[in-house]
Structures are given as C-alpha cells and as structure tokens.
C-alpha cells in the first residue's frame, strides 16, 4: 500500500468514481486480504483515537483508517468541553468547592436522556467518569482548577469548570442537586478541541499505532450471517480488503452534513440552517451498520442551538412565539431553548429584552433586530404579534418577576426582573435570520460495550461503534448538555476499543450471540 | 402441510418455543422448499388482501400467510374510513355537491405529510384515487351518496362522506380548498371495517387465492446479497420453507402493540395509554426488513387521539396547558390536538367548556372532570394552573371570540363564541385519566411501487411491502387525517401486488438494482 496522498479519495469523489455501495461485501467473495490486523478502527476523531489507544493497550494490533488527510474530525473542531463528575467530584470540582455524588450525576443524566435514556450506558458513564478524567489527563490534557460562574456558551478564558447544561434550570434542579460538570482544557479561546486532540493524537503516536490517512472505508465485509470480518477501503483510487481478526470499530461521527439523511431521519434538526461538524459527518458508518441489519435509534435527536447568551443577562429577557406566548424558561441551556423554539408555530421565536443604553447583542451569531419600541403595542405591530398578546404576556411576567416569581416556567430568581421599556426584539428563528446550528445524536444501537445490536437486540459479532455513529449517553435534543458528546465519544470509544480487543466482558460473551 | 389449526402458532409462542430469530435465513442453507409460489403475501389484512388480488389478477400464483386463525387484521377492526378524492370528485363527492381537483387533493396531502411528505407516493395516490374508489366498489363495498356535516370522529349512521381531517382548519384551509374526502361504507355504527373486509375477503375467495392461516412468517430467506427468494414460516409447530419466485410482500401492519419498539422508536406515541390495533401489530415485518438492511423512516410518527368531540360544540371550548395557555385551534382534527397536547409541559391538557345545563361530555372515552367553577379563579385553583393565567387567556380569547376572531390559532368562526361561566374542565391528559390512543405510521422505506429500499436508496430485489409495515402517504402525527391509513394500506397493497407480479414498472427495472 502506498504512502498517504493528499487527494486520492477526494479525487475519486469528485471524478464521480465514488459509486461504490455501502452494502456489506460478502466474505465468500473476498479472494485475498491486503491488510491483516486485530482491530480496525474506522475514523480518527475522538472516539476512534480513544478506541485505538485502549485496544492497543489491551495488547491488540490496531490500524486506524481515516478518510481525511489528517485526524481530529469534529472532535478537533470542537470546544473540547467534557462532561465529568460523580464519584465525590473530579479534582477540579473539588478544588473549586463542588462535591458531586455519583447518584446525583446519575439522576441528572437520566433526566438528560429524557424518555430515551439508556440506563446501563449512563450507569457505566457515571461510574467511570472520574477514571475517565484521569485517563484523559494522563494523555496530557491540562485543566486549570477554576470555575466560571457566568452564563457562557463556552469559556473563552483558559478556565475550566462551568454549568454546561440545564443543571440549575427548572425542572432539572428538582431532579438532581445542581453541580457544574463541564470541563474545558487550559487554553484561551474556543480552542479546547485542538488541545484535546493534541493529547489524544499524541497518545496514539506514542504507542506507534498506525494511522492510514486518505483511506475511506467503503463497506463492511461480513459472512452471510453478518458476522463482520473486516472492511473494504479505498486509498489512492484503489480498493483494499482489510481483515480485522478481533473486530471493526466504526467511529465515523454523525450525519449533520448529509441533507438527505437529515430530511429523512431528523426533520426537526433540518429546520436549523447551519450544520456543525466536519465534511465527513455524512453518516457513512451509520449507513454501513444499517445495511447490515443493525438497529438505529433516536435518529430524530440532536444538538440544536440559538446562542442567545452571553451576556448572561439576556436570560432576563423572555422568549415569545408568534402569539406573544412564552414557552420555556430562558435560563435553560441554549439547546433546550432552541428545541422549544423550533416547536412553536412556524418556528417563529423572538427574544424580548430591555433596550438599555448599554444594550449588548448576544456575543455569538448575532440574530437580527426584528423590532424596537417604547411601547409593547409598537413592538407587537413590528413583530406581527396579535395586538395585545405580548402586552398581556409581559404584564403577567413583570408582575411576578417583580416578586422574584415565574409561575409558568420557574426561571431562577437571579434572572427575574421586570422588563422595562424601551424594548428590543431579536429574531432568533431560522427564517428570520437567526443562526440555528445542529449536529446529530441518533445512530446505531449498541450495548454499553459498543457492540452493535440488531433489531432483535442481538449482538452483530465483530462490529463495534462509538461516538456519534452510535446513539449513546446524549440522546435527547430537549435535554442535551454541553460536554456530553465529546464526553461520550471519548468514553464510548474507550469501551469499544477494549471490547474489540477482548478485554472487557461483552454482550456476546454473555450468551447474547446470534444463534 | 396440514390444514390450518387454531392454536398451532399460539401454542408455540406460549410454550416459549418461539425462539426463532427474525434475522434472514440464507438461501445457501436452505436444503428444500416445502411450498413454491410466485408471490408470497405475509399478513392477511387490508394491504395483504389488496396485494393478493392484484397479483392474482396480474396472472401470478399467490399464497397468503396469516399468523391469526382468521383474516382482517386491524383493517377489519377499523372504521373502514378511506380517503378518496381528486380527479373532479368521487361519485359520492359529486352527488353531494363537492368538486375536488387532483391539484387540490395533492396540495392537501402534501400539507398532511409535513416535512416528511413523499411527493411521488402522494402523486400516485391522488392520480389513482378515483380508480381506487371504483376498484373497491367493484369488490362489493357500497357507499351511500350522503354527506355528514357535523363534526364527528366517525359517522355512526350509514352515511358516507365527511371532513375527516384538518381540511377546514387553519392553516390547511389556506393551503388547499377544503373538501371532504373521508368515505365510510353503507352500514350503521362503527362497522365500516368489517364491511370493507367482507368485500376484500370476498374478492380474495372469489379468485380462489389460497390463504394459509395459523402460519406465522418467521424470517425472510435471502441470498448473501440480500436478494429475497422466500420466507420461513411456522405452522402447527413445524417450520416450512416457502419459495416465492416473483416476490415476497410484507403486509404485517405496524408496531403499536410492541412496547419495546415504541419506547425505542416512537417515545411520543408511547405517552399515550391505549394502543389501537390487533395483537399482531408487533412490528415483525418491519424488523424482518431492518434485519435485511432495509431503511426505516418516520418511526416516531403515528396516529394519536384524544376524542374530545362529538359533540362538535366541544370545539368551542379551549384547550389549555398547565400554564393556562392555549396551544392549538380546537377545530383541528383530534390527532393534531393530541399531538400538540403531548408536547405541552408534562403533557398536561385541559378542555375548558361552558358548563351549560345540558352539558354533554365527549361521546367517546369520556375524560374525567378535573374541575368546575363559577369563576376562573376557582377553576385555576382546582387545576393547579398559576393564578390569573387562565383568566388572562380566557379574557383575551372571549374578547376576540365575541368578534368572531381567533388571532392566535384562527379557529373557524363557527366555533367562536365567548365561553361563559360556569365552567367545566376535562382532563384529557394520559396521566390525568384521559384516554389517549395511538397506532404507528413509521416503517420500511419504499418506492411508490412498494419495493423496499436500503439506506442507499437501492431496491432490495424480491422484497415488497405495503400498509403500516411501510411508511406511506400518512407519515406525520401532526398532520394525519382519518382514512389515510386504510386508504394507503389498500392502495399501496395494490401497488405492491402488481409490482411483485411484474405488472407495473418497478424501480428495479428502472436500473436502480443493486450492483
Ligand atoms: C465547532 C464545534 C464545537 C463543539 N463543541 C463541543 C463541546 O465542547 N463539547 C461536546 O461534547 N461536543 C461538542 N461538539 C460536538 C462534538 O465535537 C462531536 O459530536 C464529537 O466530537 C464527535 O466525535 P466522534 O469521534 O464521534 O466523531 P469525529 O470526531 O467527527 O470523528 C469522525 C472521524 O471519522 C472520519 N470518517 C468519516 N467517515 C469515514 C469513512 N467512511 N472512512 C474513514 N473515515 C471516516 C472523519 O473524517 C472523522 O475524522 C462540537 C462540535 C463542533 C463542530
Ligand atoms: C379500531 C380502529 C379503527 C381504525 N379506523 C380507521 C379508519 O377508519 N381509517 C383509517 O384509515 N385507519 C383506521 N385505523 C387504522 C387502520 O385500520 C390500520 O392502520 C390499517 O388498516 C393497517 O392495515 P395493514 O394492512 O397495514 O395491517 P392489518 O390490517 O393489521 O393486517 C396485518 C395482518 O398481518 C398479520 N401478521 C402480522 N405479523 C405477521 C407474521 N409475522 N406472519 C403472518 N402474518 C402476520 C396480522 O395478523 C394481520 O392480519 C383504525 C384502527 C383501529 C384499530
């Protein structure tokens, strides 16, 4: 096999020669193997790197196949926020004065999974969370023992700990004691992802794990009972058959970049206008699994955001729909606000704020000003909200806010103050010019070990998956929290790597094998 | 093969011997065929019967395999309402003074599919609708040329035509000229399904089509490229291999009765408390398809209902959530109202009505009275709605209703009148004792021909599906209309039967075959 070349695979795509099927190739038709390894990892992002490290550390021979000319995927593009906690607290939580019990974190994550919560995965994630923290730190990532108390989408300083989800918001605060669990690496700006990637890729290199770039995995190779024995890859315009004696781990990310799949499987996310991810987030791994009869779950779910804060005081505004009705507590995590916003008639949503002299629009993705007014009547007219409707909402809200109450949505009292004229309304809706960004959380159904399950709940032998190719701990748009995706991708990557290498007990070994 | 026996398959289930996998059996391992036919139809309900008739009429030899001891499935349990129209109007539409253009019906159905609408299927359904009417009538079903103007869930007289969806409700009425398209057979009471079944099963018998009862289809038989060549069935505790030389048509219905699948794939429907269907609506056909690598779409979607009318005048009440906010036009079809109700905080939903001297609760599934009051303050307290919130909603609603206006949701003026004290509130929520019933609309992805597609959009040769095993014309909870499911099951059954018999051009023959 020749050395990595920059354009091999890309060329193939662009010359229209990328006409291969993602359907499984049959073992009986494979005449020779070009490469043989114990574990083949597909995709060199967060999940893939962690799977590779664990599989290697478990004694397996590992090769990573990556379609791009470099590693990192969406993980390296991300803020690198990771959701850790429980077990009495991480060193950072402890240093900043937070105690965090596993039961408390478990309760929060169960709420954060909504009706789809996977209890076994959440239990494993919580139990392993402190260990995971140390494992990542051991790879070289540094965290500063500091806490950011302001309401941020992401810490832009080199500080670490933050409330990264709905912990303090109703109704979550009644289900679990609020505790901050978002951890960002010690670096200025939105650079936590590159920093995390430096650590993970460093650990991969240090172990001498082979990474084959510009190598797109085209299809799984499986026998007629769908037991997976390897993958077919394309590199430099030629195809190669890879035998993976212990297992294949699909770590190809989600499908935010695939409009066809979004429209079919996640129409609510498709209401957004800005996919968040790398160009290879096209669902290839999910489709390879489906083509083999794997089950896919939570396909409608995702992260979706209208970043209306910071400044935190924007949470003192109210979100209203086309009828001037409130519909969410504005101190919720931005994904929860965006989720409810997308459900409103025509997905219209306005953030109504007091237009103070020093009014500051949201820091990110500044939504257009849809109206201003000294009176609510003026504003209603500009926003085409039925006359009197916004005034009524505001009267009720202000009357209770003055008493520190929000009878509808129980916004925390720190954000409750009457909204005085003059007013400004920001149009946060996708149709009104708001920037609504998303990535996907649905994917292949797996056991906590990363073993892929078919629709009957049976393990597909030889096939593992992790990160956004699987549906994992984060599986609900309504309840998502920052740090869960990278947290889950790295954690589930480790599990799948260990399982594929044969180090942790698997569902298959528990007698759940196809008969 | 012995004659049908009542308990064969049932026994197998109950003695725990039903341990067979729905995974495909491989052709290479089939040593003999017990039965050979051209087309094997799996499931003898509406879709199965229609598929069988068309396949037979196209000259194919057909056998139907049905797990129950009799035919009909959910179709025979249903009200038999069918959604027909377009093409200038059905004879019933014309006789009752309604003209219906195909473009108009197409526009309505596109709205009724929401973002998931399948344009090609809708086009075929509309273009074929008048022909489908005649085809059904030709099988012996009689319709009375009469129109029911009142607001009903289902006609309980022997009358035929009704507005069976959201045609007259905002915003649909602005997208397509309202026209009634729900047709029920000429029989008193809720007996349209049995009457329809009499016609369809009569046509099956008349053609001498063989129906093998007590024969559960266990799995598809396919070669290693997933080309389907037959099915494995269990009859009288023995297994048989069936070769279908032209094709297998899965017509096994949906998965409303499978709690595991509901929880995994349709959590919103699972909020309901009463599945609607027959016990074999367990998703077996969908799972067989998935296990073969078929694509599944719209799995979260379904029919869901709180039957709060008749009497129609209940639509003059208002639905409010736990915060006393309105959220839907109450003259919407009951599925739309239930859909929005389930999205409210904790799915709490109350129907507030004027408690007149002759107050009549809804005719079906009478929801409990959650509160009454001479004042709204009293009612708020009883319903635990924040003080003043309901009063505010009511004041705004009444003020506009008096002028025949509904600025929020544009309820039609015929239902707009101020709601005067005393008040009664019905708790329609599942947790409050309301009866919330559902069936599923998600399923295998197909071409309009009924050919099953894999995730790459390619045809799986030899496999067809119809009715609720497929995702068809009805594919959106929010926008569903009565008559679409039986309409689609019978229509798509016919398409699949013709395609399997080789009579209509298929995707496969258009060069879309797996390569
Ligand atoms: C700007 C941004 C900020 C974010 N911030 C955060 C955050 O702070 N915290 C958080 O939890 N989440 C965040 N997310 C989301 C999070 O980064 C991702 O969901 C997560 O990192 C995905 O990890 P992964 O390992 O599953 O996929 P990736 O890291 O994307 O890795 C997948 C890899 O597979 C490769 N690949 C794809 N198909 C093939 C194929 N067929 N053959 C070979 N290789 C293939 C891709 O090229 C890629 O390298 C953010 C995302 C973005 C884009
Ligand atoms: C009370 C009620 C009223 C309704 N009213 C209406 C209405 O008026 N209009 C409307 O449009 N919709 C209505 N619906 C919904 C509609 O009836 C169904 O969605 C539709 O009829 C389904 O048709 P089908 O052919 O896909 O499935 P079915 O008619 O249910 O047929 C499926 C058949 O497959 C069999 N089967 C399942 N698994 C296997 C297997 N593995 N092997 C062999 N056989 C198997 C089943 O026993 C069954 O006989 C109603 C439903 C109910 C329950």
């Amino acid at each position: 096999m020749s050395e990595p070349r920059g354009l091999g695979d890309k060329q193939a795509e662009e010359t229209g020669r990328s006409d291969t099927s993602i359907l499984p190739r049959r073992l009986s038709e494979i005449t020779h193997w070009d490469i043989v390894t114990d574990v083949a990892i597909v995709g060199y992002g967060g999940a893939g790197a962690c799977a590779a490290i664990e599989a290697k550390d478990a004694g397996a021979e590992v090769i990573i196949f990556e379609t791009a000319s470099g590693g990192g995927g969406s993980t390296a593009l991300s803020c690198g926020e990771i959701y850790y906690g429980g077990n009495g607290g991480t060193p950072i939580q402890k240093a900043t004065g937070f105690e965090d019990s596993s039961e408390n974190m478990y309760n929060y994550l169960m709420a954060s999974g909504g009706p789809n919560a996977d209890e076994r995965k959440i239990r494993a994630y919580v139990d392993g969370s402190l260990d995971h923290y140390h494992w990542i730190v051991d790879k070289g990532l540094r965290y500063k023992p500091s806490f950011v108390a302001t309401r941020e989408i992401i810490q832009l300083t080199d500080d670490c700990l933050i409330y990264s989800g709905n912990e303090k918001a109703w109704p979550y605060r009644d289900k679990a004691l609020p505790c901050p669990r978002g951890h960002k690496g010690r670096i200025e700006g939105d650079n936590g992802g590159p920093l995390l990637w430096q650590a993970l890729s460093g650990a991969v290199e240090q172990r001498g794990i082979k990474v084959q770039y510009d190598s797109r995995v085209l299809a799984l190779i499986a026998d007629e009972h769908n037991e997976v024995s390897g993958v077919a890859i394309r590199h430099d315009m030629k195809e190669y058959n890879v035998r993976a004696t212990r297992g294949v781990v699909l770590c190809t990310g989600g499908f935010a970049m695939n409009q066809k799949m979004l429209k079919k499987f996640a129409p609510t996310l498709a209401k957004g206008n800005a996919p968040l991810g790398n160009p290879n987030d096209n669902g290839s791994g999910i489709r390879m699994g489906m083509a083999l009869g794997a089950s896919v779950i939570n396909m409608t779910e995702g992260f979706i955001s209208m970043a209306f804060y910071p400044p935190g005081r924007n949470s003192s505004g109210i979100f209203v729909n086309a009828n001037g009705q409130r519909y969410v507590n504005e101190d919720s995590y931005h994904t929860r606000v965006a989720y409810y916003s997308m459900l409103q008639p025509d997905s219209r949503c306005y953030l109504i704020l007091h237009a103070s002299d020093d009014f500051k629009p949201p820091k990110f993705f500044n939504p257009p000003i849809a109206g201003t007014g000294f009176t609510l009547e003026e504003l209603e007219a500009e926003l085409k909200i039925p006359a009197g409707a916004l005034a009524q909402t505001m009267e009720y809200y202000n009357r209770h806010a003055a008493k520190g109450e929000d009878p509808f949505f129980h916004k925390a009292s720190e954000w409750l103050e009457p909204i005085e004229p003059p007013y400004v309304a920001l149009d946060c809706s996708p149709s009104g010019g708001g920037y609504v960004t998303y990535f996907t959380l649905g994917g292949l159904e797996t056991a906590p070990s990363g073993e892929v399950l078919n629709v009957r709940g049976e393990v597909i032998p030889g096939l593992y998956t992790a990160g956004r190719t699987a549906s994992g701990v984060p599986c609900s748009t309504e309840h998502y929290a920052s740090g869960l995706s990278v947290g889950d991708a790295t954690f589930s990557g480790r599990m799948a790597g260990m399982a594929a290498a044969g180090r942790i007990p698997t569902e298959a070994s528990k007698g759940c094998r196809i008969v």
Side-chain angles (χ1 to χ4, degrees), chain A:
Chain A
M1 197 163 170
S2 59
E3 276 304 286
R5 261 192 27 192
L7 274 174
D9 192 56
K10 195 76 191 309
Q11 266 171 4
E13 295 259 10
E14 283 171 4
T15 53
R17 297 191 48 201
S18 168
D19 52 359
T20 36
S21 171
I22 44 84
L23 298 184
R25 312 259 170 112
R26 290 300 168 194
L27 185 57
S28 57
E29 291 170 2
I30 303 296
T31 52
H32 70 286
W33 297 110
D34 299 293
I35 300 171
V36 178
T37 183
D38 291 337
V39 175
I41 311 263
V42 185
Y44 187 32
C50 293
I53 294 166
E54 287 287 12
K56 180 79 182 185
D57 286 357
E61 195 192 343
V62 179
I63 309 182
I64 303 173
F65 299 94
E66 166 57 51
T67 190
S69 302
S74 295
T75 305
L77 295 175
S78 84
C79 313
E81 186 100 57
I82 295 186
Y83 206 86
Y84 305 112
N87 308 282
T90 64
I92 308 297
Q93 286 177 315
K94 281 187 177 157
T96 52
F98 294 97
E99 225 191 274
D100 192 11
S101 79
S102 295
E103 215 38 42
N104 199 32
M105 182 177 179
Y106 174 84
N107 290 341
Y108 182 74
L109 288 185
M110 285 301 289
S112 157
N116 315 328
D118 183 327
E119 207 179 320
R120 293 196 304 160
K121 276 188 191 164
I122 289 174
R123 181 57 73 196
Y125 187 87
V126 170
D127 288 350
S129 190
L130 183 59
D131 171 71
H132 192 50
Y133 170 91
H134 288 298
W135 190 89
I136 296 275
V137 165
D138 179 61
K139 303 296 164 289
L141 191 66
R142 290 292 161 262
Y143 292 114
K144 183 172 162 184
S146 59
F147 168 63
V148 177
T150 52
R151 188 155 153 75
E152 309 280 346
I153 294 288
I154 191 72
Q155 312 87 311
L156 293 181
T157 58
D158 67 350
D159 292 301
C160 177
L161 193 62
I162 197 172
Y163 283 100
S164 66
N166 289 302
E167 297 83 0
K168 293 197 289 182
W170 176 83
Y172 309 87
R173 63 176 184 234
D174 299 333
K175 298 185 182 177
L177 210 68
C179 188
R181 300 191 185 92
H183 292 64
K184 200 202 86 168
R186 188 167 198 159
I187 189 165
E188 294 283 332
D190 183 13
N191 295 311
L195 194 71
L196 170 65
W197 185 246
Q198 210 174 300
L200 295 178
S201 58
V204 167
E205 278 161 35
Q206 193 198 323
R207 282 161 178 77
I209 296 169
K210 193 163 170 187
V211 184
Q212 195 70 51
Y213 294 103
D214 301 299
S215 300
R216 182 157 67 100
V217 172
L218 304 171
L220 296 164
I221 297 172
D223 72 11
E224 57 180 8
H225 297 293
N226 287 348
E227 175 148 356
V228 172
S229 48
V231 288
I233 68 163
R234 177 182 275 146
H235 174 83
D236 205 9
M237 301 180 76
K238 282 199 277 296
E239 291 190 11
Y240 300 87
N241 295 323
V242 180
R243 171 87 177 99
T245 54
R246 298 202 202 169
V248 169
V249 191
L250 294 173
C251 302
T252 57
F255 60 97
M257 293 293 173
N258 185 327
Q259 279 296 325
K260 254 195 190 166
M261 279 183 81
L262 276 169
K263 207 174 161 316
K264 221 178 259 182
F265 297 115
T268 306
L269 298 183
K271 288 185 184 178
N273 47 17
L276 200 60
N278 81 81
N280 298 309
D281 278 336
N282 60 20
S284 65
I286 294 173
R287 283 178 286 130
M288 284 181 227
M290 286 179 80
L292 203 73
S295 176
V296 285
I297 57 174
N298 304 324
M299 290 294 277
T300 53
E301 304 301 308
F303 161 94
I304 185 163
S305 166
M306 307 175 329
F308 65 96
Y309 60 91
R313 70 171 171 194
N314 283 355
S315 306
S316 298
I318 56 172
F319 268 97
V320 298
N321 64 21
N323 292 324
Q325 296 172 305
R326 276 180 81 217
Y327 51 85
V328 71
N329 33 337
E330 297 80 2
D331 61 345
S332 299
Y333 179 66
H334 50 103
T335 286
R336 185 166 190 265
V337 172
Y339 168 77
Y340 279 102
S341 297
M342 293 307 108
L343 295 182
Q344 301 310 308
D346 288 332
S347 303
R348 270 172 67 193
C349 51
Y350 304 103
L351 177 60
I352 316 287
L353 296 162
H354 167 56
S356 61
D357 289 342
D358 61 342
F359 163 73
K360 279 211 196 71
K363 188 155 193 157
F364 305 107
F365 316 135
N366 196 0
I369 291 180
T372 53
F374 282 95
T375 67
L376 290 166
E377 290 63 36
E378 264 179 75
L379 204 56
E380 283 165 350
E382 289 196 30
L383 304 182
K384 298 200 173 59
I385 286 176
L390 181 58
Q392 196 182 40
T393 295
M394 193 64 95
E395 189 280 323
Y396 192 93
Y397 177 81
N398 279 352
R399 177 154 43 94
H400 291 89
K403 295 184 282 186
E405 289 167 10
D406 174 13
F408 281 18
F409 300 109
H410 314 286
K411 181 154 74 173
S413 56
E414 64 174 310
W415 308 114
L416 286 170
E417 55 189 50
I419 303 172
E420 306 290 350
Y423 308 101
V424 55
L426 303 176
D427 189 336
C428 296
S429 69
S431 61
Y435 184 91
V436 181
T437 181
Y438 55 87
F439 61 81
T440 62
L441 294 174
L444 301 177
E445 186 173 3
T446 60
S449 57
E451 289 166 287
V452 178
L453 306 178
N454 68 23
V455 281
R456 213 182 160 215
E458 298 156 330
V459 167
I460 297 180
L463 187 62
Y464 303 81
T465 183
R468 295 291 59 77
T469 312
S471 178
V473 170
C475 62
S476 160
T477 314
E478 182 176 355
H479 308 293
Y480 182 78
S482 253
L484 281 180
S485 187
V486 171
D488 174 82
T490 50
F491 187 81
S492 67
R494 291 180 58 204
M495 295 302 114
M498 285 192 250
R503 222 185 69 183
I504 60 170
T506 62
E507 296 292 313
S509 67
K510 282 189 225 133
C512 186
R513 216 175 169 86
I514 292 179
V515 284

